[in-house]
Amino acid sequence: MDVRTVCLGILTIGEATGYEIKKMIEEGAFNLCVEASFGSIYPALSKLTDEGFVACRQETQDGRPDRKVYSLTDEGRDLFKELLVQPPGEDKHKSDFMFVSLFSALLPPGHMADLIDQRIDWLKREKEMINDVIEETDQKGAQFVQGYSQALFETAIRYLEDNRKLFEAGSEPAARNGVSREHGMAAS
Amino acid sequence: MDVRTVCLGILTIGEATGYEIKKMIEEGAFNLCVEASFGSIYPALSKLTDEGFVACRQETQDGRPDRKVYSLTDEGRDLFKELLVQPPGEDKHKSDFMFVSLFSALLPPGHMADLIDQRIDWLKREKEMINDVIEETDQKGAQFVQGYSQALFETAIRYLEDNRKLFEAGSEPAARNGVSREHGMAAS
DNA sequence: CCCAACATGTAAACGGTTACATGATTAC
DNA sequence: GTAATCATGTAACCGTTTACATGTTGGG
């Protein structure tokens, strides 16, 4: 999902500045779908303004920098509805953790258990964050997404907690008999 | 996880051609961690060869195009081990489906239920694919990843099957008289 | 005193995809 | 006959990140 579409989507909820949109993406429900930095958000908003899909109102604040408050135009709303019904792309789950796990045999003893611990902590934090952000909404879609993500986080946390022991120091292979464990890799 | 590292990782399992690496990424367990196309795999392998981290043996076949079989050098194995213990990046879950779901209120009636059906089918296919690919391994890491992904797929499928009804034609707003319909989705 | 939060913006660099070029073989 | 599989490679393009530039206010 490109930054352009995400900006339109966020603006259907209400007007916002580029800065606020960034926060919503990195701390909010949108965190589950996309990521974006200022370097992509600001140009996207400028372009959408040029094209007439969003309107921009400049606000002068004292003590604070000026802000540009963007809002959706009718054309923008129409465009977003069109984009929404396009067949969505496949989910892309990119997990360094999973990749490293596949090669746990090459890691120093205890490393994998540490990684799992860190991951459990991260998952718990992330789960709470999503929960907090969405709880105040009463929209069906948001409720659905929240339930979905909470279910997945719970499963992930439970699985890691249950299987951590596989990688604890005690259960390490212990290739005691002179066989060079460098070779033992032989898949299958 | 960059293509470079993924290539090194795959080559720790055994030698392979660029073509085979591509297949492993899109049909195998690596599908859960990364994606990559020829346009990134071939240059990565060339560069790794130049740098001495992989070796390349050219094989002439008759009837078939020549193939370049890559294998890991000692330096390559060392490099990979170093890369593996670097702190892994955060998981990135990019889901167009989730994004669209957040805006289900803007979709035509029935569209959301269709999307969910398609998604359930996709999840089931994907789950089976991962299951088939990894089942023949006896490596701890692969087993762990397989169990993890199977648990997540099951949870996702169950959630979607259980909550599909929220978006069925019958439960569509039908906001004839401005009455709000706030029945409890309560994902508690 | 410095850092975080607020606020916008640009240019260069990067990693990757898409499309193209080439070409034999096998299966439908 | 035509599509898929095998097999490699390059160049153009694209979206995004990173780093930089600028400036104020408030809290630790």
Side-chain angles (χ1 to χ4, degrees), chain A residues 81-115:
Chain A
K81 281 186 191 167
E82 273 171 49
L83 291 171
L84 262 197
V85 294
Q86 296 300 115
E90 286 193 354
D91 278 27
K92 291 171 189 179
H93 193 201
K94 299 205 179 190
S95 174
D96 282 13
F97 170 68
M98 288 253 207
F99 181 80
V100 174
S101 300
L102 283 171
F103 298 98
S104 63
L106 299 177
L107 291 170
H111 190 93
M112 190 62 197
D114 288 346
L115 279 184

Side-chain angles (χ1 to χ4, degrees), chain A residues 125-184:
Chain A
R125 279 200 306 277
E126 206 73 3
K127 177 174 181 287
E128 284 316 309
M129 197 196 69
I130 304 290
N131 206 36
D132 293 350
V133 171
I134 312 194
E135 71 182 2
E136 58 246 19
T137 210
D138 61 341
Q139 290 216 254
K140 219 191 322 187
Q143 295 285 338
F144 175 75
V145 169
Q146 190 207 34
Y148 189 67
S149 62
Q150 293 293 304
L152 291 177
F153 278 121
E154 275 160 32
T155 299
I157 292 166
R158 198 172 332 113
Y159 183 86
L160 294 187
E161 284 174 345
D162 290 350
N163 290 280
R164 204 202 95 107
K165 57 180 178 296
L166 287 171
F167 302 99
E168 273 160 21
S171 79
E172 217 58 43
R176 291 200 265 127
N177 53 4
V179 181
S180 76
R181 50 202 161 85
E182 213 68 55
H183 285 18

Side-chain angles (χ1 to χ4, degrees), chain A residues 17-19 23 42 61 65-68:
Chain A
T17 67
Y19 192 84
K23 289 198 89 176
Y42 285 126
Q61 314 176 104
D66 293 356
R67 61 212 302 266
K68 290 186 178 175

Side-chain angles (χ1 to χ4, degrees), chain B residues 131-152:
Chain B
N131 205 36
D132 293 349
V133 171
I134 311 193
E135 72 181 4
E136 57 246 21
T137 210
D138 60 342
Q139 290 214 251
K140 221 195 316 188
Q143 296 284 342
F144 175 75
V145 169
Q146 190 206 33
Y148 189 67
S149 61
Q150 293 292 306
L152 290 177

